[in-house]
Amino acid sequence: MYQSILLAYDGSHQGARALREGAEIARRCSAKVHLLAVIQNPTGPGAGEGFDTSGMVAEALDHYKGILELGLQKLRETYQVEAEGHLLEGDPVERIAGLATEVGAQLIVVGHQPLGLLSRWWRGSVGKALIDNAPCSVLVAISQAGETE
């Protein structure tokens, strides 16, 4: 059914749920797996002109490299799934949809992080935006209350 699956992973509890569900589907389908971590640009309106963000970028790069390596290790050791890792910088929706197109993914798996009304209004819904822009099906893994990974 699925030959190529893209798992978006941010190291969160919700991301771990997506990793688990995506790995299970990949095993059952013998699909090629791509694991993606996206570094959101630390610069923006709050940075201000003349503000040196190079330290923030280096720190974010190290942080997300670690997240990606841990995700790859967990896929390999816990779920017996081999994956190709990808680390990209930018808008998560654009990067996820873009990589899915590039690798020919038939399924994208992401975790859902519940947001309050104000937070959702301010940031928007990544899941909704991804569904609107994805080149393939999207599975949104939702953690149950009290569930631990």
Side-chain angles (χ1 to χ4, degrees):
M1 175 175 215
Y2 299 113
Q3 297 173 348
S4 180
I5 298 175
L6 174 60
L7 308 178
Y9 185 60
D10 62 1
S12 69
H13 174 71
Q14 295 82 6
R17 174 66 185 243
L19 204 67
R20 184 178 78 214
E21 290 192 24
E24 180 63 30
I25 293 168
R27 262 201 330 264
R28 290 178 185 213
C29 296
S30 299
K32 179 168 174 85
V33 176
H34 297 271
L35 183 64
L36 170 63
V38 178
I39 304 168
Q40 293 188 37
N41 294 331
T43 58
E49 192 172 323
F51 185 71
D52 182 11
T53 60
S54 59
M56 292 167 59
V57 171
E59 186 176 314
L61 181 61
D62 288 344
H63 175 74
Y64 280 95
K65 277 183 181 177
I67 285 173
L68 182 61
E69 286 305 316
L70 285 173
L72 290 168
Q73 180 182 3
K74 189 169 192 171
L75 283 171
R76 220 177 13 256
E77 294 176 5
T78 304
Y79 305 118
Q80 290 75 50
V81 170
E82 289 298 323
E84 181 178 338
H86 304 268
L87 182 61
L88 300 175
E89 181 181 345
D91 175 68
V93 171
E94 290 176 11
R95 295 300 177 243
I96 293 167
L99 185 62
T101 298
E102 184 181 319
V103 301
Q106 288 96 27
L107 179 66
I108 298 169
V109 182
V110 296
H112 173 68
Q113 183 166 350
L115 299 173
L117 183 60
L118 181 59
S119 183
R120 187 165 306 284
W121 172 79
W122 179 255
R123 292 183 14 199
S125 170
V126 171
K128 181 185 180 317
L130 181 57
I131 290 168
D132 289 343
N133 291 284
C136 60
S137 296
V138 177
L139 170 66
V140 180
I142 298 176
S143 298
Q144 303 302 315
E147 179 182 41
T148 59
E149 284 297 321

